[in-house]
Amino acid sequence: MKTLIAVLIGSSMALSFVAGATPCEDLWASNPQAKSESFIRMSEIRPDITNQVKEESINLCESSAKAARHGVSIEYVLSMVNRSSRGLPDAGRLSMAFMAIGGWDIGKQE
């Protein structure tokens, strides 16, 4: 898990260096889950579900950015994400971590 977090942190940092402080909607567009074949297929069948996932992911990003602006550590943000993502498939957990780390990075740069 620590390796995964390091990779996600590196990915979000690379993204922010390339694009500046990316808004959370832009971060969602680069989320591997949003680009996955299964997610795209599901969005054709049940757009209500995938739209809700997108909206909740953007909200998570924005909350993480706000937390970073208020001095909350990334470790604390990730511990909250880990608690709330228990029981989700790995893809869902990774997506949440991606959005939280990216949002936190956005908030730190503002």
Side-chain angles (χ1 to χ4, degrees):
M1 186 67 169
K2 288 181 181 179
T3 303
L4 172 62
I5 291 171
V7 168
L8 288 170
I9 290 172
S11 297
S12 69
M13 288 173 61
L15 176 66
S16 63
F17 287 130
V18 170
T22 340
C24 290
E25 287 184 3
D26 291 342
L27 185 63
W28 168 255
S30 67
N31 185 330
Q33 181 182 22
K35 296 178 177 184
S36 73
E37 184 179 327
S38 60
F39 192 83
I40 293 168
R41 207 169 334 138
M42 178 60 81
S43 69
E44 295 167 356
I45 300 167
R46 294 291 311 265
D48 55 323
I49 293 173
T50 54
N51 288 339
Q52 184 176 357
V53 169
K54 176 182 176 180
E55 184 178 314
E56 289 176 7
S57 295
I58 291 169
N59 288 340
L60 173 61
C61 174
E62 291 170 349
S63 295
S64 296
K66 184 176 180 179
R69 286 190 295 273
H70 286 93
V72 177
S73 72
I74 188 64
E75 292 82 11
Y76 183 79
V77 169
L78 285 174
S79 72
M80 296 285 89
V81 168
N82 281 334
R83 281 189 215 158
S84 64
S85 67
R86 284 191 185 135
L88 289 179
D90 286 344
R93 293 182 66 174
L94 292 173
S95 178
M96 288 180 70
F98 179 87
M99 294 302 291
I101 292 168
W104 188 87
D105 192 45
I106 290 168
K108 286 304 275 188
Q109 291 185 31
E110 291 179 343

